[in-house]
Amino acid sequence: MKELLLIAIGSALVNNVVLSQFLGICPFLGVSKRVETSAGMGAAVIFVITIASAVASLIYDHILVRFGMEYLQTIVFILVIAALVQFVENMVSLYQSLGVYLPLITTNCAVLGVALTNVQKTYNFVESVVNGVGIAVGFTIAIVLLAGVRERIEYNDVPYNFQGSPITLITAGLMSIAFFGFSGLI
């Protein structure tokens, strides 16, 4: 149990997928204008990453390894992720608020990165799911925090040269430095 807690905390805070590994930057920067849409994107990512971690672990262990087809892992994981995103898009009404960004979860390298990391670290099924949940929660924390800061920056007097993308990137960089402080946690 202690090991699972360390995996979850390490995935969410210490090795935050966006702020430490720099995966999933596109939706992180694109959807983080409002807290509501960021929370919706975070919920969709939590669902997709958790289910993708579980399904990818099962497929890898019981099909790809069993038949010696480990080299197909990337293609199979992409297909699993694409199917899950289609499921989320059809079942949840987030498409109205997220627009084009929901299908971007399909190509979000963070989702694929979780599946590949689970295989690379030889996690079993439970560890894969815990790692997936931790990474997804870390993504959600990062995107909601950035959205909150961006909403506050909107009402401040930002110098002309820093308005828009520059101040967003500076904010993301400062958040990354702040999350680096969690590295001593584990």
Side-chain angles (χ1 to χ4, degrees):
M1 188 64 164
K2 182 180 176 183
E3 184 178 320
L4 294 177
L5 184 62
L6 288 175
I7 289 173
I9 291 173
S11 299
L13 299 176
V14 177
N15 298 317
N16 187 285
V17 71
V18 176
L19 300 173
S20 296
Q21 300 175 11
F22 306 112
L23 297 174
I25 297 291
C26 180
F28 176 68
L29 295 175
V31 182
S32 63
K33 292 180 182 172
R34 299 276 171 246
V35 172
E36 295 82 27
T37 55
S38 296
M41 177 62 130
V45 167
I46 287 172
F47 177 79
V48 170
I49 286 182
T50 302
I51 302 300
S53 296
V55 172
S57 176
L58 291 172
I59 289 174
Y60 183 79
D61 290 339
H62 297 292
I63 296 174
L64 296 179
V65 171
R66 183 180 217 176
F67 296 108
M69 298 186 299
E70 295 92 348
Y71 59 90
L72 292 174
Q73 69 186 6
T74 304
I75 294 169
V76 171
F77 293 166
I78 289 172
L79 292 174
V80 167
I81 293 164
L84 288 170
V85 169
Q86 286 301 311
F87 175 75
V88 169
E89 191 173 328
N90 291 334
M91 299 305 285
V92 181
S93 62
L94 283 174
Y95 188 75
Q96 309 266 325
S97 62
L98 294 177
V100 72
Y101 295 108
L102 188 59
L104 281 178
I105 296 175
T106 305
T107 57
N108 186 346
C109 54
V111 182
L112 180 60
V114 172
L116 294 174
T117 300
N118 290 340
V119 168
Q120 199 174 41
K121 292 186 176 183
T122 62
Y123 284 156
N124 62 30
F125 178 75
V126 175
E127 292 171 335
S128 295
V129 172
V130 169
N131 186 47
V133 170
I135 285 178
V137 167
F139 178 87
T140 303
I141 290 169
I143 197 170
V144 169
L145 283 175
L146 181 63
V149 172
R150 285 180 77 176
E151 282 183 357
R152 288 189 172 262
I153 288 174
E154 196 174 292
Y155 300 109
N156 289 322
D157 187 25
V158 177
Y160 177 75
N161 291 334
F162 289 106
Q163 291 177 359
S165 297
I167 195 68
T168 302
L169 293 173
I170 290 169
T171 303
L174 291 173
M175 286 176 59
S176 182
I177 292 169
F179 269 70
F180 183 70
F182 290 121
S183 63
L185 193 64
I186 294 179

